[in-house]
Amino acid sequence: SMAARLAQHTATAWKLIEWLQAQPEVARVLYPPLPTDPGHALWRRDMSGASGLFGVVLKAVDEARFVAFIDGLQLFGRGYSWGGFESLLIASFPERAVTPNPYTGRLFRVHAGLEDPRDLIADLERGFAALRG
């Protein structure tokens, strides 16, 4: 079932990415298949497909609002088990990485699972509503 699951993860990711890019709080979506992604050229050179894993950089937002966003989500699980069937979302702290973080906004990572993308978008809408206060 891996091929069918991977196709669904990828399709769901694209729907979430399209929606996220239209949100005013989103500074950038990090997904190598996107032509605007800094790793796109490498992806094109070395890959033949994609997955449901991507990152989202928010515009400047304080920690309390970021926590409200994460806490406002109901469908996305929290964790790093990328590749399972469920959608996951986790805060990321690239300032703790070995290489310098080129982004100033808060970052979260998403694994798009097999749930209906409309349900996941509704959940993200709840999170953004909490972020906006």
Side-chain angles (χ1 to χ4, degrees), residues 71-96:
D71 288 346
L73 300 170
Q74 297 172 2
L75 295 180
F76 283 90
R78 309 298 183 277
Y80 294 97
S81 183
W82 316 126
F85 66 88
E86 67 274 278
S87 292
L88 301 172
L89 187 145
I90 192 92
S92 182
F93 302 95
E95 64 275 6
R96 298 179 189 163

Side-chain angles (χ1 to χ4, degrees), residues 3-102:
R5 282 184 37 220
L6 190 55
Q8 185 60 48
H9 289 300
T10 304
T12 299
W14 278 113
K15 289 176 182 168
L16 297 179
I17 289 166
E18 182 179 295
W19 184 84
L20 284 160
Q21 288 180 315
Q23 302 314 300
E25 296 84 4
V26 173
R28 163 174 238 154
V29 174
L30 302 171
Y31 191 57
L34 278 172
T36 57
D37 188 272
H40 183 70
L42 285 174
W43 176 82
R44 284 191 57 167
R45 185 190 76 193
D46 296 342
M47 303 295 170
S48 61
S51 71
L53 182 62
F54 61 93
V56 178
V57 180
L58 296 175
K59 293 179 181 171
V61 61
D62 65 37
E63 185 174 354
R65 295 254 185 227
F66 185 57
V67 169
F69 166 76
I70 301 272
D71 288 346
L73 300 170
Q74 297 172 2
L75 295 180
F76 283 90
R78 309 298 183 277
Y80 294 97
S81 183
W82 316 126
F85 66 88
E86 67 274 278
S87 292
L88 301 172
L89 187 145
I90 192 92
S92 182
F93 302 95
E95 64 275 6
R96 298 179 189 163
V98 174
T99 58
N101 174 20

